[in-house]
Amino acid sequence: MIIGVPKEIKNNENRVALTPAGAKELVKRGHTVYVQHNAGEGSGFTDAHYTLAGALVLASIEEVYGVAEMIIKVKEPIEPEYKLIKEGQLLFTYFHFASYEPLTKAMIASKAVCLAYETVEKTDRSLPLLVPMSEVAGRMAIQKGANYLEKPLGGRGILLGGVPGVLPAKVLILGGGIVGTQAAWMAAGLGADVTIMDVSLQRMRYLADVMPANVKTMMSNEYNIREMIKDADLIVGAVLIPGAKAPHLITQDMLKDMKQGAVVVDVAVDQGGCIETCKPTTHENPTYVIEGVVHYCVANMPGAVPYTSTLALTNATLPYAIQLADKGWKKAAQENPELIPGLNIINGDIVFEGVAQAFNAPYVPVNKYLED
Ligand SMILES: NC(=O)C1=CN([C@@H]2O[C@H](COP(=O)(O)OP(=O)(O)OC[C@H]3O[C@@H](n4cnc5c(N)ncnc54)[C@H](O)[C@@H]3O)[C@@H](O)[C@H]2O)C=CC1
Ligand SMILES: CC(=O)C(=O)O
Ligand SMILES: [Mg+2]
């Protein structure tokens, strides 16, 4: 198969979807890998690293999209890329369709095959291609939150861990999955007073078992959330309903009950955000203030730590990329059911129910495309 790896063009997105090691594995299997000039630069990989691994370097993004049967990327295509995508081309990347209708419409119009990292799902319901970046973003959420709680950056000026004789800050985490768990470890390690809210009792039982004593769990419902936000210094938004738009657990009217200078880091912003007032921001301009509450809503947080994130992401994606390259998307999905929920849009049809629901659009069961 002919595989293309473009350079990411989203703001401060320094990850790359394939490492030279990954390129070598694909080339070894007889595939042709084209990498855009400088695609790996932000992650520490030069064109020469890719060439030595057997890949071919192309000067422009147009050439990469023009030649490739499968595009492997990190972030969803953004407007300048829409016109480059070809009918029947396989796109293997994050999409987060339910949060952005223009992208969904553009991919329908392209008639490409959109296989989304974030909805590839194992039989135990885990999301193997989201997990590594959720681990990064969960850890970063506390670094960012601690930072923006500092007075010069707009926060209320509280140290997460406190000091002897002074109480620590209160950290509220909405959603105790991967992001929430990693955020809790970090906040707890710094000595904060941490509460994780989830709707899954099973998950909270697990968390109660493994977390240190400064992490508590509480059922997530509107009543409890309204109580808890009054005292919170830092709130991390970490809920997920896979493939669907995130529920707004904190609505705009609730912000007035929060402390002035409190910080919200809505990691779930890529699925629309679980705090109503969260709108996607960039690493260049990451925060804004509403009702005295600092909002941090960067949709590609891991892009800022590419040395960690590129390796973590590609460790997880490469085995799937190899299956797709070796067999083509249809046979790969027929033989590995984990790939089936990753299929979101095929040939202009929305084949993932949560995306169709988000836009009240027609849904076509994916089986239509999987039968021989
Ligand atoms: N902004 C960024 O750069 C990044 C964003 N993310 C996003 O972070 C979000 C969370 O991802 P993961 O932790 O991997 O998901 P996950 O599936 O591991 O965890 C989600 C948790 O939310 C819980 N939940 C569902 N409804 C809830 C409710 N009403 N109240 C409280 N909890 C609820 C679930 O029970 C589950 O435990 C996703 O939207 C993901 O795309 C992930 C990585 C990077
Ligand atoms: C998951 C995601 O959106 C990211 O890593 O950027
Ligand atoms: Mg929102």
Side-chain angles (χ1 to χ4, degrees):
M1 185 182 276
I2 301 173
I3 298 152
V5 184
K7 183 171 167 65
E8 297 297 318
I9 55 176
K10 198 170 174 131
N11 182 282
N12 276 290
E13 183 48 75
N14 297 296
R15 287 171 286 180
V16 61
L18 190 71
T19 61
K24 195 175 177 74
E25 290 304 316
L26 288 163
V27 171
K28 245 175 29 192
R29 287 170 167 75
H31 303 296
T32 307
V33 177
Y34 288 100
V35 178
Q36 189 183 339
H37 169 53
N38 275 347
E41 187 187 30
S43 300
F45 302 121
T46 63
D47 288 352
H49 287 130
Y50 285 101
T51 310
L52 277 172
L56 303 161
V57 174
L58 289 176
S60 69
I61 193 167
E62 288 79 11
E63 289 169 276
V64 174
Y65 274 90
V67 76
E69 295 167 275
M70 167 163 70
I71 290 285
I72 315 183
K73 268 176 67 53
V74 178
K75 289 310 284 185
E76 72 283 353
I78 58 177
E79 276 78 356
E81 290 169 301
Y82 293 171
K83 61 178 185 304
L84 305 176
I85 295 163
K86 300 185 296 186
E87 184 170 343
Q89 197 166 42
L90 171 60
L91 305 176
F92 188 40
T93 187
Y94 286 120
F95 280 103
H96 303 288
F97 280 119
S99 67
Y100 196 49
E101 194 167 14
L103 170 70
T104 309
K105 285 189 165 156
M107 293 307 106
I108 288 171
S110 75
K111 300 211 161 166
V113 178
C114 300
L115 215 167
Y117 288 166
E118 70 275 9
T119 56
V120 171
E121 189 175 309
K122 287 185 173 280
T123 44
D124 65 2
R125 309 291 319 265
S126 64
L127 306 168
L129 305 187
L130 185 61
V131 166
M133 294 303 94
S134 290
E135 288 169 338
V136 172
R139 289 171 179 225
M140 274 183 81
I142 300 304
Q143 283 181 203
K144 291 294 168 189
N147 206 216
Y148 286 105
L149 276 170
E150 291 174 14
K151 200 78 179 169
L153 292 179
R156 57 189 304 267
I158 188 166
L159 193 61
L160 277 189
V163 288
V166 182
L167 289 175
K170 288 191 193 288
V171 176
L172 177 63
I173 300 175
L174 301 173
I178 306 296
V179 168
T181 302
Q182 297 301 318
W185 282 122
M186 291 294 129
L190 289 171
D193 176 349
V194 184
T195 305
I196 306 177
M197 302 183 91
D198 205 294
V199 286
S200 163
L201 269 178
Q202 193 188 356
R203 185 69 189 171
M204 289 190 286
R205 282 198 183 99
Y206 162 77
L207 291 168
D209 270 352
V210 300
M211 285 288 158
N214 56 336
V215 179
K216 291 149 276 179
T217 57
M218 192 182 197
M219 180 53 77
S220 170
N221 56 45
E222 186 185 336
Y223 186 93
N224 286 347
I225 292 172
R226 280 188 183 273
E227 281 305 304
M228 292 302 290
I229 63 173
K230 292 179 192 161
D231 279 340
D233 298 294
L234 169 60
I235 298 178
V236 176
V239 308
L240 176 65
I241 296 161
K245 215 166 161 54
H248 285 159
L249 302 183
I250 299 180
T251 50
Q252 175 143 20
D253 68 294
M254 291 160 79
L255 294 186
K256 63 180 180 322
D257 297 332
M258 291 178 58
K259 292 176 180 170
Q260 289 288 302
V263 174
V264 294
V265 175
D266 197 351
V267 184
V269 66
D270 56 358
Q271 292 291 146
C274 61
I275 293 145
E276 187 181 21
T277 44
C278 278
K279 300 283 170 269
T281 58
T282 61
H283 286 291
E284 203 168 83
N285 203 1
T287 60
Y288 55 91
V289 178
I290 299 180
E291 300 271 11
V293 174
V294 180
H295 291 56
Y296 175 98
C297 315
V298 175
N300 60 331
M301 294 172 70
V305 288
Y307 276 80
T308 306
S309 300
T310 290
L311 293 177
L313 178 63
T314 56
N315 282 343
T317 52
L318 183 65
Y320 294 93
I322 289 173
Q323 291 166 40
L324 293 166
D326 285 352
K327 302 175 185 176
W329 67 268
K330 185 173 168 181
K331 188 156 183 274
Q334 285 169 334
E335 292 182 6
N336 181 359
E338 295 174 12
L339 285 166
I340 296 175
L343 291 162
N344 277 230
I345 295 178
I346 303 176
N347 189 33
D349 287 332
I350 299 179
V351 296
F352 191 99
E353 204 166 2
V355 176
Q357 277 166 0
F359 306 119
N360 218 356
Y363 161 65
V364 176
V366 70
N367 285 345
K368 171 182 163 187
Y369 287 100
L370 292 177
E371 283 151 14
D372 281 318

